[in-house]
Amino acid sequence: MDCIVNETHFLNARLADSTVADLAVAGGRFSAITPAANAATPPVGAIDLAGQLVLPAFVEGHIHLDTSFYGDAWRPHIPCTNGFDVRERVAFQMRNLKRAAPMEERAKNQLELCVGNGSLAMRSHVMVDAAVGLKHVETILGVREKYRDLIDIQLVAFPQSGILSSPGTAELLDEALKLGCDLIGGLDPASFDRDVKGHLDVVFGLAEKHGAGVDIHLHDRGTLGLFEIEEIVARTTASGMQGKVVVSHAYGLGDVSADALAGAGERIAAAGVAIMTNAPGDHPFPPVAALRKAGVTVFAGSDNIRDSWWPYGDGDMLNRANMIGYRSGFYEDWELEAAYDVVSRAGAKALGLEDYGIAVGAKADFVALKAEHVPEAVVAVPKDRAVYRAGREVARDGRMIR
Ligand SMILES: [Zn+2]
């Protein structure tokens, strides 16, 4: 075999199909994947993975880098006065953020948590509203630049205080996209702005203007939530944005009738709209198996990590796969593999990541962990794992390697 200069060899990698292989990496990509040779004299500098399971790095598909207190002082959760209320939670968040450590520091803490757990691609929503203006966007754009070599980050200009009900926000969102945000966000067009058409006119108008993707927070439940999803689906098809639109949370899909869901699933799949869920707490959440069966791309994210919305979150997408599988009643191997797919390949598809996976030519961003196979990894969530970015080890057992 020809030896390529600067090739790194990884020996005895257990792949998802249970075969054991030797991997070669050159220029940050897999250059060869061959059955384990067990050669008497391995290539110089080869790294023996000793049969550990090798998986493509996880995809953190929905997070908030600007609002977490991870690594900062503990902020006790403040309950809403009369049940979950987005507007009240936003007010609590503003109060907490005034006393928080610098945003750059908190974002860095959260990024390192995610990378340490094996996520090397991420989509973060970043708050834009009349009160904070573009401050959060400017800070997080700087953080993204600093961490460019370590993790791929997409940023969503997120109207946390609504669009129509927060005058000036549409102009700020336009500016945020000019500054470098990749996607335009949205927030409960019906319950928050009380104007579905007006809200979506701004979102899809800005998407078209900037050639940006769309990722809308939708907490509205039941038939109201379903109606909004149908509206987003129709807009996606009408504007030729198939594959570039996401509905995050989509709680409404979790509490409508099976008949309504079946029809909606088909239309969501046909429009190429992806659904993000983190299987949160006591909320109904989108039925992962039924939607996948309908052909919908369902992916996941941590969403809030120790912020004003809840105290949970650990930045571990393998643990998130466990939660999704647990809450979905996934027991069979193929179901556990589906839970893993949600935090890996489906996430890569929803984010439009290129050259993802363990394959020749793909980016050598991977995780090596102690598990026999994917189903075991999903139920055991082994924490001792090594994370490789472009074939270079960047974290081990949750800690960054400097
Ligand atoms: Zn969110």
Side-chain angles (χ1 to χ4, degrees):
M1 192 173 76
D2 293 339
C3 187
I4 301 170
V5 183
N6 291 331
E7 207 171 43
T8 307
H9 296 268
F10 297 89
L11 311 180
N12 304 309
R14 185 176 302 278
L15 304 182
D17 65 2
S18 289
T19 58
V20 179
D22 292 342
L23 316 172
V25 174
R29 289 172 185 267
F30 292 110
S31 49
I33 299 176
T34 50
N38 296 309
T41 44
V44 178
I47 295 154
D48 188 359
L49 294 174
Q52 288 186 95
L53 183 64
V54 167
L55 300 173
F58 311 128
V59 178
E60 170 55 77
H62 185 124
I63 199 166
H64 294 261
L65 285 176
D66 52 339
T67 50
S68 169
F69 304 114
Y70 183 77
D72 191 4
W74 179 261
R75 309 278 166 193
H77 181 76
I78 309 167
C80 288
T81 36
N82 192 20
F84 180 74
D85 178 339
V86 174
R87 212 173 281 276
E88 195 174 24
R89 293 242 65 87
V90 173
F92 295 153
Q93 177 166 273
M94 295 305 276
R95 202 194 303 168
N96 277 335
L97 283 173
K98 284 200 175 88
R99 300 180 294 132
M103 187 183 300
E104 189 173 351
E105 194 181 304
R106 291 182 288 106
K108 175 178 154 286
N109 293 341
Q110 214 178 177
L111 270 181
E112 295 193 353
L113 176 72
C114 295
V115 170
N117 280 306
S119 290
L120 295 178
M122 162 186 289
R123 176 176 290 180
S124 173
H125 295 250
V126 186
M127 181 174 177
V128 172
D129 74 3
V132 304
L134 295 166
K135 263 189 293 180
H136 290 210
V137 165
E138 284 161 357
T139 303
I140 301 300
L141 279 167
V143 171
R144 170 166 78 174
E145 194 52 41
K146 267 191 192 156
Y147 279 79
R148 187 171 285 284
D149 290 343
L150 196 58
I151 180 168
D152 300 314
I153 304 175
Q154 298 180 353
L155 298 179
V156 185
F158 171 45
Q160 174 77 86
S161 304
I163 299 176
L164 307 177
S165 50
S166 177
T169 300
E171 292 74 16
L172 287 167
L173 292 169
D174 188 14
E175 207 54 45
L177 289 162
K178 276 187 214 155
L179 284 176
C181 284
D182 310 278
L183 300 103
I184 172 81
L187 175 68
D188 293 322
S191 66
F192 207 97
D193 271 353
R194 307 191 74 80
D195 182 349
V196 177
K197 182 179 180 304
H199 189 101
L200 294 181
D201 279 349
V202 174
V203 171
F204 279 86
L206 286 173
E208 200 172 339
K209 178 178 173 187
H210 293 277
V214 168
D215 193 329
I216 298 175
H217 276 71
L218 188 64
H219 309 91
D220 288 337
R221 291 169 59 169
T223 49
L224 177 62
L226 188 60
F227 168 73
E228 290 169 270
I229 291 168
E230 301 266 12
E231 289 294 296
I232 292 166
V233 161
R235 298 249 186 177
T236 302
T237 306
S239 53
M241 286 188 63
Q242 292 90 337
K244 292 188 74 183
V245 176
V246 166
V247 179
S248 283
H249 301 308
Y251 294 153
L253 294 174
D255 57 6
V256 293
S257 71
D259 281 353
L261 180 72
E266 271 174 34
R267 288 189 286 277
I268 294 167
V273 171
I275 301 293
M276 191 301 298
T277 186
N278 59 336
D282 59 350
H283 287 283
F285 70 107
V288 177
L291 289 170
R292 283 172 59 91
K293 199 172 171 197
V296 178
T297 300
V298 182
F299 70 111
S302 297
D303 197 11
N304 309 96
I305 295 180
R306 294 197 196 174
D307 65 5
S308 305
W309 296 71
W310 61 42
Y312 293 101
D314 64 358
D316 182 355
M317 290 309 292
L318 192 55
N319 194 34
R320 185 64 52 186
N322 179 294
M323 284 185 226
I324 287 166
Y326 186 90
R327 284 208 69 196
S328 300
F330 288 173
Y331 304 135
E332 294 178 60
D333 281 1
W334 69 270
E335 293 174 309
L336 296 169
E337 281 164 3
Y340 161 72
D341 188 73
V342 167
V343 305
S344 56
R345 279 172 208 287
K349 188 175 177 203
L351 267 62
L353 304 182
E354 285 173 2
D355 306 325
Y356 179 86
I358 309 295
V360 173
K363 290 180 181 168
D365 291 351
F366 61 95
V367 181
L369 45 79
K370 287 188 179 122
E372 279 290 307
H373 40 55
V374 167
E376 191 197 1
V378 170
V379 298
V381 194
K383 277 290 187 184
D384 45 348
R385 51 184 98 157
V387 184
Y388 295 85
R389 168 74 159 175
R392 186 176 69 84
E393 190 175 8
V394 292
R396 178 166 285 265
D397 302 339
R399 287 173 209 275
M400 303 300 296
I401 294 171
R402 306 284 173 189

